[in-house]
Structure formats: structure tokens, C-alpha cells
Amino acid sequence: MITFQSLLPQSFFVLMMILKSSALDKYVAAVYEHSVILPETTQKPVSSEDALKLMNKNMDILEEVIKRAAAQGAHIIVTPEDGIYGFFFTRETLYPYLEDIPDPQEVNWIPCNDSQRFGPAPVQERLSCLARENAIYVVANIGDKKPCNPTDPKCPNDGHYQYNTNVVFDSDGKLVARYHKFNLFMSEAQFDFPKEPEVVTFNTSFGKFGVFTCFDILFHDPAVTLVSELKVDTILFPTAWMNVLPHLTAIEFHSAWAMGMQVNLLSSNTHKTGMNMTGSGIYAPDGSQAYHYDAESENGQLLVAELHSHPSISPTYLHSVNWSLYATAIKPFPENNNFKGIIFFDEFTFSKLNSQAGNLTVCQKDLCCHLSYRMTEQQEDEVYALGAFDGLHVVEGEYYLQICTLLKCRTTDLQTCGEPVTIAHTRFGYFSLSGTFSTNYVFPEVLLSGVHLAPGEFQVLSDGQLISQNGTTKPILTVTLFGRWYESDPPRPEKGPAQLGAGVVDDSLMGRIVSAALKEAVVNLILKSSLILCLHCMATDKVVSVLTVKEELHKHYPSD
């Protein structure tokens, strides 16, 4: 007679074999760059019904994209920050768009089956059903609301917290992750941030995942903690990223972060060319597997690519880099006549590349940057410079940077070195860039003419060199080692944008950041929203004077 107990060992063995065989060495990832439909600007909150109509318009688009991604075999799809309801909200006008999102660590919930369990949740219900019906993990960014006790000293005056929130639904439609954005960009006065950074992970048959949002990527927590301590394989990264040349375009910095942290990164950006928002990608530790950058049209774009589920055991994984090893071991190269230049309000020390080939060193404080190079097609009307910055950046946030950069100046005038530029014609047959970094968190960037990445065209060596032995397929805009010295960051402010209020920027600062292409948007933002949102609008070439801005202010708002 066969007993139940006698079958247990055999059943357990069969179960383990099934689980083992279902674990995937590779998986298919998708990200969607969405041209979000924005709500009409209003000073009064709309009804919850009107808010849902707007969100359903965006979800109608996302539904078709999710179906396409699933049809191409995608296991997971990431959609952008603000991709369902847009932006330009006050705290009050955002409220009708919010839902109560429970903690999936405390509840087992499939909204598609039981949407009213935690109150009205039509957005979560629809996202859950999309995931379930298409058998795909869905990552989306929505708003969470949580009541708070008046005895809580941080409880807002309206009696509730509002969070910029990422949610993840698995292929059964179950809510498996909820993340509240910790590092709010200074325009996000409509949101609160959690008391402590949330470190959110979940496991799948195709790896361990972590989640954070947009501005979080520039700070240690939760971004670095997820990778260095919790050992996630892939980061899910909804973002509404405004491109800032020469070092902080979305595709450039996000691919570099994935390479520097040696982790997969699924980056989904909002698409609004009028705000310099474009640039999404599927990035692996060895470079981009797919990316999209389109500053011309207003079309969305779906990207699909295959990734290693566990990049740390893939053949191309670079186990460790000592970013200062090479630079501290060699004798510094000669320094030319140095000059100062500004990049995103930080004063760099520059040295001009005076010959077609050579070796050059430039230093600032404790950071010395070394460059060896050879040009193959040098244009007489183009100038390149080697730059170094070692200091605290204090504009839209406070974070300590150490940067070594080879870049094309906008014109032959050295005063334009560091200004935004998108086209180059000079080609390099070889380069090696290194620096005496005090941090081991360094992100290697190579950006080519036309704002293109260079996957497979450069290497990072274990001694900290960023090197290209055979040159790149397109002329170079910048080659950069972007270092973040987290230990030198100042203490985090206890108050968020909502408590601090809109920032104040003086005329000299405004004169450098306002672009002609964004003039009208800036005029509206200065008086009707938060000025700080404009601080990421440096990606265009032309700037206007403060006087021009003031004239525009009087033209649009004569009574103000």
C-alpha cells in the first residue's frame, strides 16, 4: 500500500526539479517611453471622475503597449514616472488622482479580483488586470495617499501624506512591490517623502529586482544599498528625466550607472521634448542592450531586449574596479595652461588639447585626471578640453562630485567649454581616461555626436581606465568618469519641497539656465509653479538674457 507519507520525498524532489527548471538564465525586458497626456492646468481640484478619465486616456495607450510587449515575449515592462497622470500639480490639485496603495509585504492582494478591498482603486485594478491578462510583470508610477495623525509632528496640515509611488504587479496581477520616492526633485512640492528610505525588492524566476525613481539615482539611498547590500540583479527605474548636457542626459548617465554598479537597469522616461524629456533604455553591466533618444518628435517608443537574469555570473561581468589604481600609479602628465569653465553651475578646471595626440593631466583639489589620446580626423574649427571637478554640487540638490571629462567645446572660444553641444566631427582613434578618485563609485560615460551611446566601443579596465583602443564609430561629444563621493554629502534636509516652498534663483543663475526653446515654459513655471523645475533645462544650445525673461514675464503676466 502506498501511503501519503511515502510520497512526500518523491513529491518534494519533483517540485524542486520543476522550480529549478523554471528558473531562467535570461529574460526579455521591455520599457516604454510614453508621451504622456497632460491634464489641463487648473487652480482647483477636478472631480475624481474627471481625474480617472485623464488617467484612463494614458492607460489606454499603455494597454496597447503592454499587449505588444507581451506578444514579443517580454517578462516585464516598465512605464515612466508621471506616465499615468502627468505633472504640474499643486498638492491640492493632485489629490483626486491618488489611491490608497497597501503594503504588499502585509497583504496578499490581486486588485483585478478584489478592487474595493482597500477603497476605490480603479487604476490599480486596471494595471493588475493588464498584468494578469497578458501574463507579464507591469511596473507603473502612480500616487499613494495615507492618513496621518495630527500628533505626528511631520503630518501635513491637510491630514494625510502624498507619495510619488512605483507599483509592481506580477504576471498573475498580484501587487508585489510598492515604493515611495525618497529623493524628491525640488519641484515636487505636491509630494511628501517617507521618514526613512524604503529598500524595496522582490524575487522572480528571472532574478531579484529592486525599485527606485528618477532623482533617487543620484544618491546613496536607496539606490546603492539595493545593489551593494541586497544584491539585486535588476533595477526598475521609472523616471521623468530632463536632459542636461554634457554629463546628465538620460541615456548617458543611466547606462553609465548600470555599468558602474554592475547591474541591469530598466529605465523608462517620460517623453516631452519641450521639457528636454527623452531617453530610455535597457542597460546591462557591459553596456546598452537597447536605447531610445528622440528630441524631435512627440512619439512614444517601446524597447524590448534580452538580459542575463543574474549578471554577476554572466561571462562579461567585471567583478571589481579600483577606480584610482592606474591614476595613482603613473607619473602625472604635463599640465598646459589651465582655465576655468562652468558645467551645470560647477566650476571645472580645464586644459585644452593642443595637439592631435598626446598625454595631459589636469587637477582640482585632490582629483587629478589623466588623458592619453590620439585624434584621427581633427577639425580645425573644433576644440576639445580635459576637465576636472572636485566639489559639492548645490543647485537642484546637494551632492559631492568628482568628475574627469574629455569634452568638445561649443565653439573655439574656450569660454564655451562645458556648454551644451550635440554635434561633433572630430574622431579619436584612441583614448584612455583615468583619475585619482577618492570614491569607488564612478560611472563611465561615452556620448557620441548626435547624442548616441557607444555600446561595445570602449572598455573599463580593473585598474580604473576608461579606454578605447580602436576609436568610436561616431565623433565624440564627451568621455567622462562621473564620480559620486557619497560620504562627503551634507546631511539630508529634514523638510521636503512641500515644506521648503519654491526655490529662489538669482538673476545671474537664471541667465545661465534659461534656454530659448524653453522660454515660455519657464515663464509659466516661475510664477505658476516651482522655479526649481527649470534647473534641469540646460540641454539646448541657445540661452537668453535675464532681461528677455523679464520681458516675457510682463508680456504673459502684466498684473504680476
Side-chain angles (χ1 to χ4, degrees), residues 254-363:
H254 302 160
S255 61
W257 194 90
M259 184 172 288
M261 295 302 299
Q262 288 288 283
V263 70
N264 296 328
L265 178 72
L266 309 186
S267 173
S268 171
N269 200 4
T270 302
H271 188 86
K272 282 294 173 189
T273 58
M275 297 181 66
N276 293 323
M277 287 183 178
T278 182
S280 302
I282 298 172
Y283 307 120
D286 58 348
S288 170
Q289 305 305 298
Y291 74 94
H292 174 71
Y293 180 94
D294 174 15
E296 303 299 326
S297 79
E298 290 298 335
N299 300 323
Q301 180 67 39
L302 175 66
L303 300 175
V304 180
E306 188 177 64
L307 289 170
H308 285 282
S309 299
H310 307 285
S312 61
I313 59 175
S314 70
T316 57
Y317 188 77
L318 185 61
H319 285 278
S320 64
V321 178
N322 184 333
W323 286 104
S324 62
L325 182 60
Y326 178 81
T328 54
I330 66 170
K331 182 179 179 181
F333 302 133
E335 291 192 51
N336 295 336
N337 294 327
N338 294 339
F339 61 96
K340 302 295 184 181
I342 301 295
I343 299 179
F344 199 23
F345 315 112
D346 297 325
E347 188 176 70
F348 279 63
T349 302
F350 282 111
S351 186
K352 179 184 174 184
L353 277 60
N354 285 321
S355 57
Q356 192 165 345
N359 303 300
L360 190 61
T361 291
V362 63
C363 299

Side-chain angles (χ1 to χ4, degrees), residues 340-547:
K340 302 295 184 181
I342 301 295
I343 299 179
F344 199 23
F345 315 112
D346 297 325
E347 188 176 70
F348 279 63
T349 302
F350 282 111
S351 186
K352 179 184 174 184
L353 277 60
N354 285 321
S355 57
Q356 192 165 345
N359 303 300
L360 190 61
T361 291
V362 63
C363 299
Q364 185 179 105
K365 296 182 181 176
D366 295 329
L367 177 67
C368 286
C369 303
H370 306 311
L371 174 69
S372 297
Y373 69 96
R374 185 182 71 255
M375 300 179 188
T376 56
E377 298 178 19
Q378 183 180 13
Q379 303 295 310
E380 292 184 359
D381 60 347
E382 293 189 335
V383 169
Y384 283 79
L386 174 65
F389 177 73
D390 185 353
L392 185 67
H393 177 83
V394 294
V395 183
E396 84 297 1
E398 294 188 349
Y399 46 91
Y400 202 98
L401 299 173
Q402 288 189 316
I403 297 176
C404 293
T405 184
L406 161 67
L407 54 76
K408 177 184 178 291
C409 304
R410 187 169 63 83
T411 71
T412 55
D413 182 352
L414 296 184
Q415 295 302 308
T416 68
C417 294
E419 292 183 9
V421 57
T422 60
I423 300 296
H425 299 93
T426 297
R427 294 181 180 271
F428 285 73
Y430 169 83
F431 63 77
S432 169
L433 180 66
S434 61
T436 57
F437 292 97
S438 302
T439 175
N440 215 38
Y441 292 104
V442 179
F443 311 118
E445 303 178 344
V446 176
L447 194 65
L448 305 182
S449 182
V451 193
H452 290 282
L453 299 181
E457 299 182 27
F458 65 92
Q459 292 178 284
V460 173
L461 304 185
S462 59
D463 63 4
Q465 290 184 79
L466 173 55
I467 190 168
S468 177
Q469 297 281 9
N470 301 309
T472 55
T473 54
K474 295 178 181 291
I476 285 174
L477 293 178
T478 179
V479 175
T480 303
L481 291 171
F482 190 104
R484 274 289 284 116
W485 194 357
Y486 300 110
E487 294 85 354
S488 293
D489 287 356
R492 175 186 168 85
E494 292 187 5
K495 294 183 178 181
Q499 290 76 38
L500 292 172
V504 178
V505 181
D506 64 30
D507 280 357
S508 62
L509 187 60
M510 177 61 76
R512 300 203 304 271
I513 67 174
V514 180
S515 68
L518 296 176
K519 186 192 305 178
E520 187 169 346
V522 169
V523 167
N524 284 287
L525 285 167
I526 291 173
L527 295 178
K528 303 302 179 184
S529 183
S530 169
L531 176 61
I532 299 297
L533 183 61
C534 303
L535 289 173
H536 266 305
C537 300
M538 293 184 60
T540 51
D541 293 339
K542 297 169 67 178
V543 295
V544 296
S545 67
V546 178
L547 180 61

Side-chain angles (χ1 to χ4, degrees), residues 44 251 277 497:
K44 296 181 179 180
I251 59 172
M277 287 183 178

Side-chain angles (χ1 to χ4, degrees), residues 81-139:
E81 181 184 24
D82 303 324
I84 289 178
Y85 48 62
F87 25 76
F88 299 134
F89 291 103
T90 65
R91 185 175 181 86
E92 293 73 26
T93 59
L94 178 68
Y95 188 76
Y97 297 84
L98 306 179
E99 294 183 358
D100 187 353
I101 307 171
D103 185 351
Q105 301 301 312
E106 299 177 357
V107 301
N108 187 342
W109 185 42
I110 300 177
C112 191
N113 292 345
D114 185 13
S115 63
Q116 297 293 317
R117 182 176 170 187
F118 301 99
V123 174
Q124 293 173 85
E125 178 186 11
R126 187 168 183 184
L127 293 170
S128 169
C129 291
L130 285 173
R132 182 170 186 164
E133 291 165 2
N134 294 282
I136 187 174
Y137 280 70
V138 172
V139 184

